[in-house]
C-alpha cells in the first residue's frame, strides 16, 4: 500500500464514521504482513490520531501479525501508543511450522521465532498479544496444546476460529469427519482450560464467532465494517476481496458496502435459527460461509452442529470460571 493510498483510506474512514454518527473507529492493520511495513503503520497511526482529535471520535487500533519478526523498537512503539497486537498461531512447534512455513529453501522454524517474539520481546515489555488460532481438521488435535501454551502458561487472550476445508465437499463422510475432528479438538482444549481455569473472562474466544453478549448479527459486514485493499479498493469483508464493491474511496464508504452482494441478515431472519436457544449468542455463523455452501443467506450455518455441541461446553467453562472467581470453587 502506498502512503497516499493509506492516508486516503484513513481519511475516508473517519469521514464516513462522522457522516454516519459513529462514536469510535477501529483500525486493523493486516496484510500480507503488516510488521514488514512498520513505517507506514506508524504514519497511518499518526494521521488517525490527528483525525480522532479533530473529530472527537475514539480510536482503537490493532496490528495483525505472524509474529515471526518484530523488532524491539516497533514493539515498544506499540506499547507506547496503545496499539494492540494480534498474532496468528496455528499450533505448537512442528504443527505451526507445517501450516505456516516461510518461503525459504530450507525448512524454517517459524514457531521458534514466534515464541521468541512473545517471550523475549513482547512479554518483557508488558505487551500481551492476542493469539488467534485458525482451527481446521488438520490442526484441531493441537488446540489443547495451544490453549495450554497461550492461555494457561502465558495468560494471553486466545481465540479459536474455524476454517472448514471440506465444506464444499459432496461427501457426507468428509464433512462428518471434519466436524468430528473440530469437536474433539475443541473439547480437548476445553478440558485443559478446565484444569487450570483462568480468572479473566475468556468465553468470547472459545468458539469461533460465537459471542457471550446477546447480538443479532455475526459481524459488522454491511453496517459498521469495511476492508480497504493495498490498492485502495473497497471490499465488504476480508474473505471477499476478489469482489470489491468500489475501485475508489469515494465520499461515503458505507453506502457501497451496505449495497454490496454479501448479505448479513439478523439471526431472526435465518431459517433454522429462529427457534434455537443459542441464537443471540451464535447469531447463525458467518454469512459468507453459509452462502458458499447453501447458495442462501437466510439459513443456519454449516457449522451449526459444531456450535450446538460446543456452546454448552464453553458456557459451562464460563460458569466454572465465575464460581472460581467468586470463591465457590477450590
Ligand atoms: S446453533 Fe445453529 S441454529 Fe442455533 S443460531 Fe447457531 S447456526 Fe443457528
Amino acid at each position: 500500500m502506498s502512503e497516499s493510498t493509506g492516508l486516503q483510506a484513513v481519511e475516508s474512514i473517519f469521514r464516513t464514521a462522522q457522516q454516519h454518527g459513529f462514536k469510535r473507529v477501529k483500525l486493523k492493520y493486516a496484510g500480507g504482513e503488516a510488521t514488514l511495513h512498520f513505517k507506514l503503520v506508524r504514519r497511518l497511526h499518526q494521521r488517525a490520531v490527528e483525525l480522532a482529535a479533530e473529530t472527537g471520535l475514539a480510536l482503537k487500533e490493532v496490528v495483525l501479525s505472524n509474529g515471526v519478526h518484530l523488532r524491539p523498537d516497533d514493539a515498544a512503539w506499540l506499547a507506547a501508543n496503545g496499539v494492540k497486537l494480534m498474532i496468528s498461531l496455528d499450533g505448537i512447534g512442528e504443527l505451526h511450522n507445517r501450516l505456516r512455513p516461510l518461503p525459504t529453501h530450507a525448512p524454517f522454524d517459524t514457531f521458534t521465532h514466534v515464541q521468541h517474539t512473545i517471550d523475549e520481546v513482547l512479554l518483557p515489555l508488558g505487551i500481551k498479544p492476542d493469539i488467534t488460532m485458525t482451527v481446521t481438521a488438520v490442526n484441531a488435535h493441537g488446540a489443547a496444546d495451544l490453549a495450554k501454551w497461550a492461555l494457561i502458561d502465558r495468560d494471553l487472550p486466545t481465540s479459536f476460529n474455524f476454517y472448514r476445508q471440506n465444506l464444499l465437499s459432496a461427501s457426507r463422510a468428509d464433512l462428518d469427519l471434519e466436524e468430528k475432528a473440530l469437536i474433539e479438538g475443541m473439547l480437548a482444549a476445553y478440558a485443559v482450560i478446565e484444569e487450570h481455569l483462568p480468572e479473566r473472562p475468556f468465553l468470547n474466544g472459545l468458539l469461533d464467532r460465537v459471542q457471550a453478549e446477546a447480538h443479532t448479527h455475526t459481524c459488522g459486514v454491511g453496517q459498521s465494517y469495511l476492508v480497504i485493499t493495498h490498492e485502495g479498493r473497497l471490499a465488504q469483508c476480508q474473505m471477499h476481496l476478489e469482489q470489491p464493491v468500489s475501485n475508489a474511496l469515494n465520499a461515503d464508504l458505507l453506502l457501497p458496502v451496505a449495497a454490496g452482494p454479501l448479505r448479513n441478515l439478523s439471526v431472526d431472519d435465518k431459517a433454522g435459527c429462529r427457534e434455537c436457544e443459542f441464537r443471540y449468542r451464535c447469531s447463525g455463523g458467518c454469512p459468507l460461509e453459509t452462502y458458499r455452501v447453501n447458495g442462501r443467506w437466510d439459513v443456519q450455518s454449516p457449522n451449526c452442529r459444531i456450535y450446538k455441541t460446543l456452546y454448552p461446553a464453553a458456557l459451562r467453562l464460563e460458569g466454572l470460571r465465575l464460581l472460581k472467581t467468586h470463591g465457590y470453587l477450590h
Side-chain angles (χ1 to χ4, degrees):
M1 180 180 269
S2 68
E3 184 174 314
S4 65
T5 300
L7 291 173
Q8 197 192 357
V10 172
E11 283 160 12
S12 310
I13 289 166
F14 271 89
R15 192 173 54 237
T16 301
Q18 242 188 334
Q19 281 167 353
H20 288 267
F22 284 94
K23 300 247 181 307
R24 66 172 186 263
V25 165
K26 180 174 178 180
L27 298 177
K28 182 191 270 189
Y29 303 101
E33 175 53 38
T35 61
L36 293 176
H37 304 279
F38 230 101
K39 202 171 143 217
L40 179 61
V41 172
R42 289 184 189 219
R43 176 71 187 104
L44 300 185
H45 160 80
Q46 183 194 17
R47 185 67 186 125
V49 168
E50 287 166 10
L51 288 166
E54 281 169 27
T55 58
L57 288 162
L59 172 66
K60 279 189 174 184
E61 293 162 289
V62 59
V63 170
L64 178 61
S65 171
N66 61 22
V68 169
H69 182 64
L70 188 65
R71 295 185 318 130
D73 253 16
D74 293 329
W77 180 88
L78 289 172
N81 289 280
V83 178
K84 292 199 71 161
L85 180 67
M86 182 180 275
I87 291 182
S88 305
L89 191 62
D90 288 342
I92 300 302
E94 275 311 306
L95 191 55
H96 181 78
N97 292 344
R98 188 149 42 94
L99 293 167
R100 289 188 178 260
L102 282 190
T104 51
H105 294 301
F108 190 85
D109 185 353
T110 44
F111 175 75
T112 300
H113 281 68
V114 177
Q115 182 164 251
H116 173 86
T117 298
I118 291 173
D119 288 348
E120 309 298 329
V121 179
L122 298 174
L123 292 179
L125 286 169
I127 302 174
K128 286 195 169 188
D130 287 20
I131 300 297
T132 175
M133 177 180 186
T134 302
V135 185
T136 68
V138 174
N139 68 350
H141 65 280
D145 286 347
L146 189 133
K148 168 99 174 47
W149 188 93
L151 187 64
I152 310 296
D153 293 347
R154 290 168 178 77
D155 191 31
L156 303 178
T158 305
S159 59
F160 300 92
N161 297 296
F162 300 154
Y163 178 71
R164 306 276 309 269
Q165 281 133 323
N166 290 327
L167 264 181
L168 295 177
S169 162
S171 155
R172 186 69 238 171
D174 283 352
L175 288 173
D176 285 350
L177 270 180
E178 196 178 44
E179 266 187 10
K180 191 166 172 282
L182 290 176
I183 290 171
E184 286 179 359
M186 291 311 303
L187 287 176
Y190 295 174
V192 166
I193 296 168
E194 183 174 345
E195 267 179 47
H196 316 267
L197 273 176
E199 296 199 0
R200 191 173 40 73
F202 55 85
L203 178 61
N204 272 349
L206 281 190
L207 179 52
D208 202 34
R209 295 171 177 85
V210 172
Q211 296 286 322
E213 297 79 25
H215 60 294
T216 54
H217 292 74
T218 305
C219 60
V221 162
Q223 296 175 326
S224 60
Y225 182 76
L226 52 89
V227 180
I228 296 173
T229 71
H230 69 289
E231 294 165 315
R233 295 178 205 271
L234 179 66
Q236 288 179 290
C237 167
Q238 75 275 10
M239 303 300 285
H240 217 229
L241 297 181
E242 75 285 0
Q243 239 178 293
V245 290
S246 169
N247 288 329
L249 302 177
N250 297 320
D252 185 335
L253 301 183
L254 269 188
L255 287 180
V257 157
L262 209 163
R263 294 182 62 204
N264 186 14
L265 301 179
S266 161
V267 68
D268 294 321
D269 295 326
K270 294 182 186 176
C273 295
R274 280 183 213 110
E275 312 301 327
C276 173
E277 60 193 313
F278 305 131
R279 62 190 178 283
Y280 296 127
R281 301 296 181 277
C282 167
S283 66
C286 166
L288 187 56
E289 205 166 61
T290 301
Y291 183 78
R292 283 180 173 159
V293 175
N294 298 302
R296 290 174 59 178
W297 305 100
D298 61 344
V299 290
Q300 71 219 79
S301 164
N303 292 336
C304 179
R305 278 206 299 190
I306 301 176
Y307 295 149
K308 279 188 170 162
T309 308
L310 291 180
Y311 189 65
L315 196 57
R316 180 175 163 277
L317 285 183
E318 170 63 0
L320 291 173
R321 182 192 72 80
L322 286 171
L323 288 172
K324 182 176 175 184
T325 306
H326 295 282
Y328 295 106
L329 196 70
H330 300 287

